[in-house]
Amino acid sequence: SRFETCWPALMKDSHGVIIIFNPELPSHLKEIEMWYSCFVQQQPLLDSQCLLVAHHKPGSAGDTENMSLAYPLNKLKLIHSNLEEDPEDVRMEFIKYFRSIITIMNESREREEMSIIS
């Protein structure tokens, strides 16, 4: 991708990664493996710091709701977003995700402070 040179700057000091994809495009399913590898595994971030969002366009076929992703993507939190039908659901999932990221950040800061003290 032509933006690959920007990736290190994007990744620097990041605490979380949200990968949004179209579950109806087989090419996207391959691409999210690459995004996960570059942005999560190589950082390294915990799997809990990554959120996958399968975004369903208005009027799209709903049979991708129960799609199964292969390892290692199947370890990640996956939400389905359909902003026509359940925007509130998506909003709640984002809030939960951000709360978990803040918890992880606080815990790592406390660990750093303890290591400086001891």
Side-chain angles (χ1 to χ4, degrees):
S1 142
R2 58 178 180 235
F3 299 116
E4 273 179 56
T5 50
C6 309
W7 289 1
L10 285 172
M11 289 189 243
K12 185 173 162 27
D13 300 330
S14 64
H15 295 286
V17 174
I18 298 173
I19 300 173
I20 302 173
F21 65 100
N22 181 343
E24 291 174 33
L25 294 180
S27 63
H28 272 207
L29 298 179
K30 286 265 35 105
E31 278 174 38
I32 55 177
E33 287 178 24
M34 188 252 324
W35 291 111
Y36 171 73
S37 166
C38 293
F39 281 83
V40 181
Q41 288 179 311
Q42 288 173 32
Q43 285 232 62
L45 291 176
L46 301 169
D47 285 340
S48 56
Q49 287 168 280
C50 182
L51 177 66
L52 290 181
V53 181
H55 184 63
H56 300 268
K57 291 186 180 155
S60 62
D63 58 356
T64 47
E65 283 283 336
N66 45 19
M67 64 172 190
S68 54
L69 295 170
Y71 182 87
L73 297 173
N74 61 2
K75 302 182 298 173
L76 304 174
K77 170 84 173 149
L78 168 69
I79 66 170
H80 289 270
S81 78
N82 181 330
L83 299 179
E84 277 188 324
E85 285 172 27
D86 49 11
E88 192 52 34
D89 253 19
V90 177
R91 201 172 73 88
M92 291 311 297
E93 288 293 351
F94 270 100
I95 289 169
K96 270 197 284 195
Y97 170 70
F98 289 125
R99 281 199 185 126
S100 72
I101 294 295
I102 289 166
T103 304
I104 290 168
M105 286 167 61
N106 288 341
E107 284 169 357
S108 76
R109 191 165 52 238
E110 281 167 22
R111 272 197 305 274
E112 274 171 34
E113 286 167 4
M114 290 309 290
S115 68
I116 291 167
I117 293 166
S118 55

